[in-house]
Structures are given as structure tokens and as C-alpha cells.
Amino acid sequence: MSATDTRPLLEVAAGIVFNENGEFLLSSRPAGKPYAGYWEFAGGKVEAGESAADALKREFAEELGIDICRALPWLVKIHSYEHARVRLHFFRVPAAGWTGQLQAREGQSWAWQQAGAFTVSPMLPANGALLKALSVPTALTGRLKDGFYGANAAGTYRAVPPTRAAADDKNLLLTAAEYLLDGRPSAAESLWLAVDNPAGFARLQDEADVIVWRVGTHADAQTVLDTLHAGTSVPLVVSTDADTAAQYGADWLAAGAQAVAAEEQP
């Protein structure tokens, strides 16, 4: 379907469920459904009168027999399939956020996977960008000038400006002005773009793999929180000073921020 698809949106909730090893759960679509046999993040349609979070809990109980007790909003994406146009509300469910024993209640298969080391295929088309986003750490240190550093299940991770990149650095960090002037670096497998206002975010959200939003004032902090509540389509990292991070960090993370980076001083 084209970008001009005007079919009504079907609201869908989906969960990225983690285990204690940092792996996430994928399940296959059962026979009789569109894309049967394709692998996806489990979930389903939001029914009338339900919130996306309530739909997530119901679907996981019905399909996989587990109870979701804590889920963090993450990304919101719109995708057009041949059979439907859907708005996907993705939630992250930490290892301590669910209970029970996994069961294939619809005859589907399920598997624990690591970002970048998938052993199942084919993947549902709507989930392609999610798989890259899952490699972005949820704890980061650093600053815009030098880059951001963290770790995921595969090991160390960093996103750096091109001027500080080594030959094997593929996660590149640009300011909005640099990107608008020079475009996407050919070496970037993952493009991080830094913004500091809503207009920059709106303009670049669909062009970046990760957005870094620099927060300098309390008004900025609230704007970021409002943006997260509205839903973002790519991981949003908030970069700010230590005091602002201490004041707002928990709220940003609860609303769906990928990470909060309290800027290191030189």
C-alpha cells in the first residue's frame, strides 16, 4: 500500500517481552491468519472500550497464557498491510513484568531471541525497524559533543559523531543542522539525529533511527513528556544535565523514552 492509504486505522497492541537473559520473545502467527507462519511480537486488536495496555494484557493471557503486570509504552508505528492498515502500540515488558508459564494456546511456535542474532524467519514486515531499535541500550552515558555509550545483550554499543568515528563505527550521531546540510552518511547503519525542539523532532522523526532530544529548560522537559505521551515512532533518547535528569527522568522513562542520558562533564 502507498503512503496515501486512507483506510481506517485498526488499533493493535504488541509486546516486547524480555527474560532474565535480556532476550525477547517472538511468536509465529497461527494457521488461518494473514501472514500465517511469520514471526512477530505477540499482541492483537484493541477492542472497543479497551486501552492499548489492557488489550496487551488480554491478548497475552489468551494467546500465550502469561500475565502482564508491568508494561512500558515504547513506540507507535503505522503500517499498511494488504488486509489492513494498523497503528501498532508497542510496549516493553521487563523480565519482572510478567508471570506464568508460556503456552502455545493457538498452536503457534515461540522463541527467545537476541537483537542481531535471530534464528527464526520470516519476520512480519511491520517488525523490521523494531528489530534494529531493540539493539539501542536503555542506559546510556555521554554527551552530544562526544557521543553516547552503553551496552546491550550483544555487548558494548556506542553512537558517535562522524568526526570521532573509527572505521568500524556504524551508529553515527549528527545534529539536525548537519543532517539537513549533508544528508545521511553512507557509513551509517543506524542514524542518530539530535534535536532540541518540537519542530525538529516532527521534521526528522521519520528520517532517523534514533532521536536524541537535548533538554535545557523545564518547559523543554514538559514538551518532551507531552511528545512521549503522544507516541513516537523511533527510540527517543533524552539528553540533559544531571539535575534535570533526576527531576524528570523517571517520568520520561515511564512515558516511553528509550534512555535518559545525564550529560557527563568534560
Side-chain angles (χ1 to χ4, degrees), residues 54-229:
D54 287 341
L56 183 81
K57 295 176 182 179
R58 175 182 53 75
E59 289 286 347
F60 269 85
E62 292 175 356
E63 294 182 8
L64 290 165
I66 64 174
D67 294 319
I68 303 296
C69 50
R70 180 169 179 254
L72 297 173
W74 187 35
L75 304 181
V76 178
K77 289 182 173 287
I78 294 175
H79 189 84
S80 291
Y81 290 102
E82 294 84 352
H83 64 283
R85 179 170 175 252
V86 299
R87 178 159 46 209
L88 293 148
H89 302 262
F90 289 97
F91 293 81
R92 291 183 295 180
V93 181
W98 61 279
T99 60
Q101 296 294 322
L102 287 166
Q103 306 167 46
R105 291 189 168 180
E106 295 185 343
Q108 72 274 52
S109 299
W110 54 266
W112 293 105
Q113 300 285 286
Q114 284 190 357
F118 311 118
T119 61
V120 297
S121 65
M123 297 288 185
L124 198 67
N127 290 338
L130 272 293
L131 300 176
K132 179 187 289 187
L134 281 169
S135 68
V136 179
T138 55
L140 292 165
T141 59
R143 55 184 182 148
L144 289 173
K145 179 181 178 181
D146 302 316
F148 296 95
Y149 305 83
N152 57 23
T156 58
Y157 185 106
R158 72 180 199 163
V160 295
T163 54
R164 294 182 174 269
D168 59 347
D169 279 315
K170 303 301 182 183
N171 309 312
L172 299 184
L173 169 65
L174 278 69
T175 65
E178 290 170 334
Y179 173 75
L180 293 172
L181 180 64
D182 298 324
R184 185 183 183 110
S186 59
E189 291 182 1
S190 182
L191 178 62
W192 291 47
L193 295 179
V195 305
D196 58 10
N197 57 63
F201 176 80
R203 183 172 185 177
L204 297 177
Q205 178 181 197
D206 293 333
E207 301 183 43
D209 296 304
V210 179
I211 289 285
V212 180
W213 195 318
R214 173 67 175 90
V215 168
T217 68
H218 292 295
D220 292 341
Q222 185 60 51
T223 298
V224 170
L225 189 59
D226 293 342
T227 300
L228 287 164
H229 283 148

